[in-house]
Amino acid sequence: GAVVSQHPSWVICKSGTSVKIECRSLDFQATTMFWYRQFPKQSLMLMATSNEGSKATYEQGVEKDKFLINHASLTLSTLTVTSAHPEDSSFYICSAPGQGLAYEQYFGPGTRLTVT
Amino acid sequence: AQKITQTQPGMFVQEKEAVTLDCTYDTSDPSYGLFWYKQPSSGEMIFLIYQGSYDQQNATEGRYSLNFQKARKSANLVISASQLGDSAMYFCAMREAVSLSSKIIFGSGTRLSIRP
């Protein structure tokens, strides 16, 4: 089946620095990708919808200047957490819809971000 | 606005017993899709089953079945003959206006623990 990868799988950064997370669709093209954030023992909260060739659509309450999303190609979307703080520590998951069937939604393995 | 509610934060079930995980939803869109995902401690999202709003029959996938009560707006997951490996977080999710670019939102999840 289709595969979505994320890199890195985990990252530790210092407060105030920026970190970039990549989401790639490995064997299919994705004009749309979704970015979720999951705090421990909580659900996945949609942060934004990444659209290839256009601006991302952010959910209410998500700071677009802090969480920069770029969808530069049909197989790559990136999420950059700028000026990270400890409260940004979380599990970030991307997903992409499949090519046709309504139930197809492929998730990356997630990136665990720890800000010290 | 779309909304997913899971009212069971945690459940304990004896191995080999059947278990029902509750999910109710709210949407004004006549076209929508309902998903169930399993998330083990590794964090990966495992697709279990899908039900489209226009599907006439309840979805089944092996030991998983979805009890779709459209008038009551409920989409409960039934796991038959539970196994120790079923211990995980389970999320109900919904996509409105079924299209590849429409977002999927998640319920709060149910932590299922299977007792040997």
Side-chain angles (χ1 to χ4, degrees), chain A residues 73-93:
Chain A
S73 77
L74 289 172
T75 59
L76 174 64
S77 175
T78 60
L79 168 67
T80 301
V81 183
T82 63
S83 187
H85 287 96
E87 56 265 31
D88 298 322
S89 299
S90 188
F91 192 55
Y92 292 87
I93 304 175

PDB file of all heavy atoms in Angstrom, chain A residues 73-93:
ATOM      1  N   SER A  73       6.217  20.407  -3.484  1.00  0.00           N
ATOM      2  CA  SER A  73       6.098  19.445  -4.575  1.00  0.00           C
ATOM      3  C   SER A  73       4.952  18.493  -4.284  1.00  0.00           C
ATOM      4  O   SER A  73       4.358  18.533  -3.207  1.00  0.00           O
ATOM      5  CB  SER A  73       7.396  18.651  -4.747  1.00  0.00           C
ATOM      6  OG  SER A  73       7.504  17.653  -3.747  1.00  0.00           O
ATOM      7  N   LEU A  74       4.652  17.643  -5.222  1.00  0.00           N
ATOM      8  CA  LEU A  74       3.532  16.715  -5.064  1.00  0.00           C
ATOM      9  C   LEU A  74       3.838  15.567  -4.113  1.00  0.00           C
ATOM     10  O   LEU A  74       2.964  14.742  -3.842  1.00  0.00           O
ATOM     11  CB  LEU A  74       3.123  16.156  -6.430  1.00  0.00           C
ATOM     12  CG  LEU A  74       2.424  17.158  -7.347  1.00  0.00           C
ATOM     13  CD1 LEU A  74       2.235  16.563  -8.731  1.00  0.00           C
ATOM     14  CD2 LEU A  74       1.083  17.578  -6.767  1.00  0.00           C
ATOM     15  N   THR A  75       5.073  15.516  -3.619  1.00  0.00           N
ATOM     16  CA  THR A  75       5.420  14.427  -2.709  1.00  0.00           C
ATOM     17  C   THR A  75       6.018  14.919  -1.394  1.00  0.00           C
ATOM     18  O   THR A  75       6.381  14.106  -0.546  1.00  0.00           O
ATOM     19  CB  THR A  75       6.432  13.467  -3.370  1.00  0.00           C
ATOM     20  OG1 THR A  75       7.600  14.194  -3.732  1.00  0.00           O
ATOM     21  CG2 THR A  75       5.833  12.802  -4.605  1.00  0.00           C
ATOM     22  N   LEU A  76       6.107  16.222  -1.193  1.00  0.00           N
ATOM     23  CA  LEU A  76       6.775  16.719   0.000  1.00  0.00           C
ATOM     24  C   LEU A  76       6.045  17.919   0.609  1.00  0.00           C
ATOM     25  O   LEU A  76       5.755  18.901  -0.069  1.00  0.00           O
ATOM     26  CB  LEU A  76       8.210  17.132  -0.322  1.00  0.00           C
ATOM     27  CG  LEU A  76       8.993  17.808   0.811  1.00  0.00           C
ATOM     28  CD1 LEU A  76       9.198  16.838   1.976  1.00  0.00           C
ATOM     29  CD2 LEU A  76      10.339  18.317   0.291  1.00  0.00           C
ATOM     30  N   SER A  77       5.769  17.802   1.887  1.00  0.00           N
ATOM     31  CA  SER A  77       5.274  18.928   2.671  1.00  0.00           C
ATOM     32  C   SER A  77       6.167  19.063   3.893  1.00  0.00           C
ATOM     33  O   SER A  77       6.599  18.055   4.453  1.00  0.00           O
ATOM     34  CB  SER A  77       3.822  18.696   3.103  1.00  0.00           C
ATOM     35  OG  SER A  77       3.364  19.734   3.962  1.00  0.00           O
ATOM     36  N   THR A  78       6.454  20.290   4.286  1.00  0.00           N
ATOM     37  CA  THR A  78       7.285  20.499   5.465  1.00  0.00           C
ATOM     38  C   THR A  78       6.568  21.389   6.474  1.00  0.00           C
ATOM     39  O   THR A  78       5.823  22.303   6.106  1.00  0.00           O
ATOM     40  CB  THR A  78       8.633  21.145   5.107  1.00  0.00           C
ATOM     41  OG1 THR A  78       8.396  22.407   4.487  1.00  0.00           O
ATOM     42  CG2 THR A  78       9.430  20.254   4.174  1.00  0.00           C
ATOM     43  N   LEU A  79       6.809  21.075   7.726  1.00  0.00           N
ATOM     44  CA  LEU A  79       6.294  21.871   8.838  1.00  0.00           C
ATOM     45  C   LEU A  79       7.493  22.391   9.607  1.00  0.00           C
ATOM     46  O   LEU A  79       8.321  21.597  10.062  1.00  0.00           O
ATOM     47  CB  LEU A  79       5.410  21.008   9.750  1.00  0.00           C
ATOM     48  CG  LEU A  79       5.030  21.603  11.107  1.00  0.00           C
ATOM     49  CD1 LEU A  79       4.108  22.794  10.927  1.00  0.00           C
ATOM     50  CD2 LEU A  79       4.371  20.547  11.992  1.00  0.00           C
ATOM     51  N   THR A  80       7.601  23.688   9.718  1.00  0.00           N
ATOM     52  CA  THR A  80       8.685  24.284  10.485  1.00  0.00           C
ATOM     53  C   THR A  80       8.106  24.943  11.725  1.00  0.00           C
ATOM     54  O   THR A  80       7.244  25.821  11.624  1.00  0.00           O
ATOM     55  CB  THR A  80       9.451  25.335   9.654  1.00  0.00           C
ATOM     56  OG1 THR A  80       9.991  24.707   8.481  1.00  0.00           O
ATOM     57  CG2 THR A  80      10.582  25.936  10.473  1.00  0.00           C
ATOM     58  N   VAL A  81       8.580  24.474  12.867  1.00  0.00           N
ATOM     59  CA  VAL A  81       8.186  25.085  14.134  1.00  0.00           C
ATOM     60  C   VAL A  81       9.223  26.163  14.437  1.00  0.00           C
ATOM     61  O   VAL A  81      10.397  25.855  14.681  1.00  0.00           O
ATOM     62  CB  VAL A  81       8.127  24.046  15.262  1.00  0.00           C
ATOM     63  CG1 VAL A  81       7.643  24.687  16.557  1.00  0.00           C
ATOM     64  CG2 VAL A  81       7.227  22.879  14.872  1.00  0.00           C
ATOM     65  N   THR A  82       8.817  27.406  14.373  1.00  0.00           N
ATOM     66  CA  THR A  82       9.752  28.508  14.567  1.00  0.00           C
ATOM     67  C   THR A  82       9.765  28.932  16.034  1.00  0.00           C
ATOM     68  O   THR A  82       8.747  28.860  16.734  1.00  0.00           O
ATOM     69  CB  THR A  82       9.370  29.709  13.693  1.00  0.00           C
ATOM     70  OG1 THR A  82       8.082  30.176  14.102  1.00  0.00           O
ATOM     71  CG2 THR A  82       9.334  29.321  12.224  1.00  0.00           C
ATOM     72  N   SER A  83      10.953  29.345  16.485  1.00  0.00           N
ATOM     73  CA  SER A  83      11.115  29.802  17.860  1.00  0.00           C
ATOM     74  C   SER A  83      10.395  28.855  18.828  1.00  0.00           C
ATOM     75  O   SER A  83       9.470  29.251  19.561  1.00  0.00           O
ATOM     76  CB  SER A  83      10.579  31.227  18.011  1.00  0.00           C
ATOM     77  OG  SER A  83      10.871  31.741  19.297  1.00  0.00           O
ATOM     78  N   ALA A  84      10.816  27.618  18.782  1.00  0.00           N
ATOM     79  CA  ALA A  84      10.129  26.577  19.560  1.00  0.00           C
ATOM     80  C   ALA A  84      10.267  26.824  21.063  1.00  0.00           C
ATOM     81  O   ALA A  84      11.278  27.329  21.546  1.00  0.00           O
ATOM     82  CB  ALA A  84      10.695  25.213  19.195  1.00  0.00           C
ATOM     83  N   HIS A  85       9.220  26.475  21.780  1.00  0.00           N
ATOM     84  CA  HIS A  85       9.209  26.557  23.233  1.00  0.00           C
ATOM     85  C   HIS A  85       8.795  25.200  23.800  1.00  0.00           C
ATOM     86  O   HIS A  85       8.216  24.372  23.081  1.00  0.00           O
ATOM     87  CB  HIS A  85       8.251  27.655  23.689  1.00  0.00           C
ATOM     88  CG  HIS A  85       8.773  29.026  23.431  1.00  0.00           C
ATOM     89  ND1 HIS A  85       8.431  29.747  22.304  1.00  0.00           N
ATOM     90  CD2 HIS A  85       9.640  29.806  24.126  1.00  0.00           C
ATOM     91  CE1 HIS A  85       9.048  30.910  22.324  1.00  0.00           C
ATOM     92  NE2 HIS A  85       9.788  30.980  23.406  1.00  0.00           N
ATOM     93  N   PRO A  86       9.061  24.964  25.068  1.00  0.00           N
ATOM     94  CA  PRO A  86       8.720  23.652  25.655  1.00  0.00           C
ATOM     95  C   PRO A  86       7.265  23.241  25.430  1.00  0.00           C
ATOM     96  O   PRO A  86       6.984  22.057  25.268  1.00  0.00           O
ATOM     97  CB  PRO A  86       9.044  23.859  27.138  1.00  0.00           C
ATOM     98  CG  PRO A  86      10.176  24.838  27.132  1.00  0.00           C
ATOM     99  CD  PRO A  86       9.853  25.788  26.006  1.00  0.00           C
ATOM    100  N   GLU A  87       6.365  24.198  25.388  1.00  0.00           N
ATOM    101  CA  GLU A  87       4.952  23.847  25.189  1.00  0.00           C
ATOM    102  C   GLU A  87       4.663  23.348  23.774  1.00  0.00           C
ATOM    103  O   GLU A  87       3.566  22.839  23.497  1.00  0.00           O
ATOM    104  CB  GLU A  87       4.037  25.029  25.508  1.00  0.00           C
ATOM    105  CG  GLU A  87       4.328  26.293  24.732  1.00  0.00           C
ATOM    106  CD  GLU A  87       5.237  27.242  25.489  1.00  0.00           C
ATOM    107  OE1 GLU A  87       6.094  26.775  26.267  1.00  0.00           O
ATOM    108  OE2 GLU A  87       5.099  28.460  25.273  1.00  0.00           O
ATOM    109  N   ASP A  88       5.645  23.499  22.862  1.00  0.00           N
ATOM    110  CA  ASP A  88       5.489  22.957  21.509  1.00  0.00           C
ATOM    111  C   ASP A  88       5.893  21.484  21.444  1.00  0.00           C
ATOM    112  O   ASP A  88       5.716  20.841  20.398  1.00  0.00           O
ATOM    113  CB  ASP A  88       6.335  23.750  20.511  1.00  0.00           C
ATOM    114  CG  ASP A  88       5.922  25.208  20.429  1.00  0.00           C
ATOM    115  OD1 ASP A  88       4.710  25.483  20.506  1.00  0.00           O
ATOM    116  OD2 ASP A  88       6.813  26.082  20.309  1.00  0.00           O
ATOM    117  N   SER A  89       6.442  20.980  22.528  1.00  0.00           N
ATOM    118  CA  SER A  89       6.810  19.570  22.569  1.00  0.00           C
ATOM    119  C   SER A  89       5.567  18.724  22.367  1.00  0.00           C
ATOM    120  O   SER A  89       4.581  18.867  23.084  1.00  0.00           O
ATOM    121  CB  SER A  89       7.459  19.225  23.920  1.00  0.00           C
ATOM    122  OG  SER A  89       8.640  19.974  24.112  1.00  0.00           O
ATOM    123  N   SER A  90       5.623  17.861  21.386  1.00  0.00           N
ATOM    124  CA  SER A  90       4.433  17.091  21.027  1.00  0.00           C
ATOM    125  C   SER A  90       4.802  16.047  19.982  1.00  0.00           C
ATOM    126  O   SER A  90       5.954  15.950  19.554  1.00  0.00           O
ATOM    127  CB  SER A  90       3.353  18.031  20.463  1.00  0.00           C
ATOM    128  OG  SER A  90       2.135  17.363  20.267  1.00  0.00           O
ATOM    129  N   PHE A  91       3.815  15.270  19.599  1.00  0.00           N
ATOM    130  CA  PHE A  91       3.948  14.286  18.528  1.00  0.00           C
ATOM    131  C   PHE A  91       3.252  14.867  17.309  1.00  0.00           C
ATOM    132  O   PHE A  91       2.068  15.195  17.366  1.00  0.00           O
ATOM    133  CB  PHE A  91       3.287  12.973  18.980  1.00  0.00           C
ATOM    134  CG  PHE A  91       3.583  11.779  18.130  1.00  0.00           C
ATOM    135  CD1 PHE A  91       4.885  11.389  17.876  1.00  0.00           C
ATOM    136  CD2 PHE A  91       2.546  11.003  17.614  1.00  0.00           C
ATOM    137  CE1 PHE A  91       5.161  10.265  17.108  1.00  0.00           C
ATOM    138  CE2 PHE A  91       2.818   9.876  16.855  1.00  0.00           C
ATOM    139  CZ  PHE A  91       4.120   9.511  16.595  1.00  0.00           C
ATOM    140  N   TYR A  92       3.992  15.052  16.237  1.00  0.00           N
ATOM    141  CA  TYR A  92       3.446  15.662  15.025  1.00  0.00           C
ATOM    142  C   TYR A  92       3.283  14.575  13.965  1.00  0.00           C
ATOM    143  O   TYR A  92       4.226  13.837  13.654  1.00  0.00           O
ATOM    144  CB  TYR A  92       4.354  16.779  14.524  1.00  0.00           C
ATOM    145  CG  TYR A  92       4.379  17.969  15.452  1.00  0.00           C
ATOM    146  CD1 TYR A  92       5.269  18.009  16.517  1.00  0.00           C
ATOM    147  CD2 TYR A  92       3.501  19.035  15.283  1.00  0.00           C
ATOM    148  CE1 TYR A  92       5.277  19.082  17.396  1.00  0.00           C
ATOM    149  CE2 TYR A  92       3.509  20.120  16.153  1.00  0.00           C
ATOM    150  CZ  TYR A  92       4.401  20.134  17.211  1.00  0.00           C
ATOM    151  OH  TYR A  92       4.398  21.200  18.071  1.00  0.00           O
ATOM    152  N   ILE A  93       2.094  14.485  13.414  1.00  0.00           N
ATOM    153  CA  ILE A  93       1.776  13.437  12.436  1.00  0.00           C
ATOM    154  C   ILE A  93       1.234  14.086  11.164  1.00  0.00           C
ATOM    155  O   ILE A  93       0.390  14.986  11.223  1.00  0.00           O
ATOM    156  CB  ILE A  93       0.709  12.474  12.978  1.00  0.00           C
ATOM    157  CG1 ILE A  93       1.130  11.867  14.312  1.00  0.00           C
ATOM    158  CG2 ILE A  93       0.423  11.359  11.977  1.00  0.00           C
ATOM    159  CD1 ILE A  93       0.053  11.006  14.961  1.00  0.00           C
TER     160      ILE A  93
END
